[in-house]
């Protein structure tokens, strides 16, 4: 479990407490994260200010996003806010994307704790933020997205052809 530890206070923003067939039951989420505070969605104009109040953020996404490596704009927003964004290790991204700084990748809550300790050092904190901004600059431009979308399209065609 990435964040399933009551020692770490966690704030969730988004539609975590809204029932949907595409997410875990809100009651289960609430039980699993007893020390969490669920804030609901915030306006786009509030995102950078909100992110800048936190030491770090972790990108949590639907399994389907993770399997296909769909990177949310939250990474770019975190970089703009100067807030390190940890990447869950199971996120299917090219290895080079995950190697910008070792403290960006987390597997368990133990990794989150360890990496939070890295952030206590101002020099390391600055290095991580700069690495994250470099990542955004290199990989979140429109050109790499064209390549990613082409690969997703090709995979979908292969799946359809295999099923035919």
């Amino acid at each position: 479990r990435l964040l399933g530890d009551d020692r770490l206070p966690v704030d969730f923003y988004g539609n975590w407490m809204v029932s949907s067939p595409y997410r875990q039951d809100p009651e289960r989420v609430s039980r699993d994260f007893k020390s969490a505070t669920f804030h609901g969605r915030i306006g786009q104009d509030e995102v950078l200010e909100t992110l800048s109040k936190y030491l770090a953020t972790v990108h949590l996404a639907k399994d389907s996003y993770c399997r296909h490596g769909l990177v949310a704009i939250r990474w770019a927003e975190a970089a703009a806010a100067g807030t390190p964004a940890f990447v869950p290790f199971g996120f299917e991204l090219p290895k080079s994307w995950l190697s910008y700084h070792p403290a960006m990748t987390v597997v368990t809550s133990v990794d989150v704790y360890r990496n939070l300790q890295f952030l206590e050092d101002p020099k390391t904190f600055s290095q991580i933020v700069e690495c994250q901004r470099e990542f955004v600059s290199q990989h979140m431009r429109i050109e790499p997205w064209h390549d990613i979308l082409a690969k997703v399209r090709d995979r979908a065609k292969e799946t359809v052809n295999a099923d035919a």
Side-chain angles (χ1 to χ4, degrees), residues 80-91:
T83 303
F86 298 143
V87 181
F89 185 75
F91 214 87

Side-chain angles (χ1 to χ4, degrees), residues 47-57 74-85 119 122 124-133 136:
V47 171
L48 292 182
E49 182 181 343
T50 301
L51 280 168
S52 70
K53 294 176 183 176
Y54 291 93
L55 182 59
T57 185
R74 295 292 177 244
W75 284 357
E77 292 166 339
T83 303
L119 299 180
T124 303
F125 184 93
S126 294
Q127 288 173 341
I128 291 171
V129 170
E130 282 308 310
C131 287
Q132 183 175 326
R133 288 178 174 162
V136 170

Side-chain angles (χ1 to χ4, degrees), residues 1 16 18-20 22-26 28-29 32-33:
R1 303 243 348 172
W16 292 87
V18 177
S19 293
S20 169
Y22 305 105
R23 285 189 284 287
Q24 287 185 347
D25 176 60
R28 179 176 176 192
V29 173
D32 288 348
F33 298 100

